[in-house]
Amino acid sequence: MTTSLTAEALGSSVDELLPRVHAALDAHVRGARSGMPVVAPDYARLWDHLGAQFHGGKNLRPALTLAAYLGLGGDDPDAVVPVAAAMEMLHTAMLVHDDVLDHDEVRRGRPNIAGLRRAELQATGAPPDKIDDQVLAAALLGGDLALSSAYDLIISSSLPAHHRIACLDLVTRAIRSTIAGELLDVYGDLEPLEQADPLLVSALKTAWYSCVVPLLAGARLAGADPTMLTHLERLGLALGVSFQLIDDDLGVFGNPAVTGKSRLTDLRAGKRTEMMRLAWEKADAPRRATLARHLGDPRLTEEGAAAVRDVIESSGAREAALRLARLRAREASRIAAERIPAPLSGHLVGLIASLQERAS
């Protein structure tokens, strides 16, 4: 690590490498779509639909990998770019499959794989009773392609074998943690709202694959010691939970034109977020009746959603959830400032602050 490197210079270096990450993703899709010429054209189109999912996001996962690597002394972009691309590919896989579970066909304001496939089928005049199964198949298989590609990007890199194995192990840990979190999230729909454990879901489903694993991947490539890896794991967990708490708020109170997502989706699904758990805990009997009437209603109207939002705000649940998000962000910032060396510490403190102010 160059001692004169500042947090600002580190951030600039990360920004300069992100286009290379996306170039690696695009190159992977191009190579994979043409790798089986005997397969029907539908296979190539599925790769095209997967490739369309990479753009428009925040690049949080690859950026964390790049920052940890460069900030802890890594100096070979060719070594870290494929791993950063794998982190974004893994994120894409999680989004595709999460949208299947949530019955969403829009992501970042544009059609996801399911939405793209539905538009194709409708344009051909396919029988309506056949379309849903075809759309589900495309999304499931597209997500599977992305999962396998996260491994493939690492395996096909020029990294030494021990680094590839370490990164592959991290991807496996991320997938297992996310599945555990998804199960808690989905199965929690069968339990009373007050019995939900949204913070555990956030740690498992979001924090591990979004923050912990990307940080650890970059740090391992840079040769970080076990103590540093422990500090980054703690930081990533705190940051990831804070990130999810804010994401949950944006899902209900955000501007759809900015978030690219309807403000009705989470309410119609009756999503067990910490904000909703707090609303139920803090609400009086009439307000609980409002929540019971509207939450989880697949035909929820804007009028009903407004009533739910009023309960969330008037009960103090929204502010309590956002306060918790700020507390976890401060925890992450404190770990960065006290345990992570410069310039990575300053870069992470700035990143954490910016994520607190995000609108999407």
Side-chain angles (χ1 to χ4, degrees):
M1 179 172 57
T2 304
T3 55
S4 61
L5 186 63
T6 64
E8 292 75 15
L10 175 57
S12 296
S13 296
V14 169
D15 290 341
E16 289 170 5
L17 284 179
L18 283 172
R20 288 187 57 179
V21 171
H22 281 276
L25 291 167
D26 292 339
H28 177 83
V29 169
R30 287 195 305 272
R33 77 183 299 281
S34 61
M36 298 180 68
V38 299
V39 179
D42 288 334
Y43 177 76
R45 281 199 296 274
L46 183 57
W47 276 109
D48 291 338
H49 290 173
L50 176 60
Q53 308 306 304
F54 299 136
H55 306 287
K58 289 175 282 295
N59 294 309
L60 174 64
R61 290 89 186 161
L64 286 174
T65 298
L66 295 171
Y69 176 75
L70 297 172
L72 293 174
D75 58 5
D76 182 7
D78 291 338
V80 71
V81 163
V83 177
M87 295 300 114
E88 185 65 12
M89 184 67 82
L90 178 63
H91 176 49
T92 300
M94 299 306 188
L95 293 183
V96 172
H97 283 161
D98 193 56
D99 284 348
V100 171
L101 295 173
D102 292 342
H103 309 288
D104 280 337
E105 296 188 9
V106 174
R107 172 67 65 171
R108 298 166 180 163
R110 298 193 298 265
N112 58 17
I113 290 179
L116 290 169
R117 181 58 175 158
R118 184 177 298 279
E120 277 186 346
L121 292 168
Q122 289 176 336
T124 66
D129 61 331
K130 300 290 186 182
I131 288 180
D132 286 346
D133 287 343
Q134 296 290 325
V135 166
L136 177 61
L140 288 175
L141 296 173
D144 289 346
L145 285 180
L147 277 178
S148 65
S149 294
Y151 285 100
D152 196 24
L153 282 161
I154 295 170
I155 291 169
S156 60
S157 72
S158 60
L159 288 168
H162 68 283
H163 279 322
R164 277 181 282 158
I165 291 171
C167 290
L168 292 171
D169 178 64
L170 285 172
V171 170
T172 298
R173 290 170 64 186
I175 292 171
R176 290 176 177 173
S177 176
T178 304
I179 290 173
E182 283 282 16
L183 283 174
L184 282 176
D185 194 17
V186 173
Y187 289 6
D189 289 350
L190 300 175
E191 303 295 335
L193 181 57
E194 62 268 24
Q195 293 180 13
D197 192 349
L199 296 180
L200 178 58
V201 171
S202 297
L204 292 171
K205 180 181 169 182
T206 300
W208 262 95
Y209 97 83
S210 292
C211 299
V212 175
V213 164
L215 284 169
L216 294 184
R220 285 196 175 192
L221 292 179
D225 61 37
T227 299
M228 181 56 56
L229 296 177
T230 298
H231 294 326
L232 289 172
E233 181 176 322
R234 290 176 53 227
L235 186 156
L237 282 170
L239 175 58
V241 171
S242 175
F243 184 91
Q244 185 60 58
L245 287 165
I246 293 173
D247 212 47
D248 292 338
D249 182 83
L250 292 172
V252 176
F253 292 97
N255 180 350
V258 178
T259 64
K261 179 182 177 181
S262 169
R263 299 199 306 173
L264 297 177
T265 300
D266 288 353
L267 298 178
R268 285 174 171 170
K271 192 172 181 182
R272 264 64 171 161
T273 64
E274 179 67 5
M275 183 171 63
M276 293 310 311
R277 188 195 68 77
L278 287 168
W280 184 267
E281 177 185 277
K282 293 174 176 293
D284 56 18
R287 290 190 176 101
R288 282 190 176 183
T290 297
L291 295 177
R293 181 164 62 253
H294 294 299
L295 274 181
D297 178 3
R299 294 175 296 277
L300 180 68
T301 64
E302 279 291 351
E303 182 181 4
V308 173
R309 292 189 194 102
D310 180 68
V311 171
I312 295 171
E313 294 205 88
S314 63
S315 67
R318 185 186 186 193
E319 176 52 35
L322 290 174
R323 184 165 59 248
L324 181 56
R326 293 191 292 270
L327 285 172
R328 298 312 302 269
R330 282 200 291 270
E331 178 186 348
S333 293
R334 185 174 63 253
I335 295 169
E338 295 177 357
R339 302 298 181 185
I340 309 299
L344 181 57
S345 57
H347 174 77
L348 290 175
V349 168
L351 175 65
I352 293 164
S354 69
L355 290 174
Q356 289 293 294
E357 303 300 324
R358 66 193 176 95
S360 66

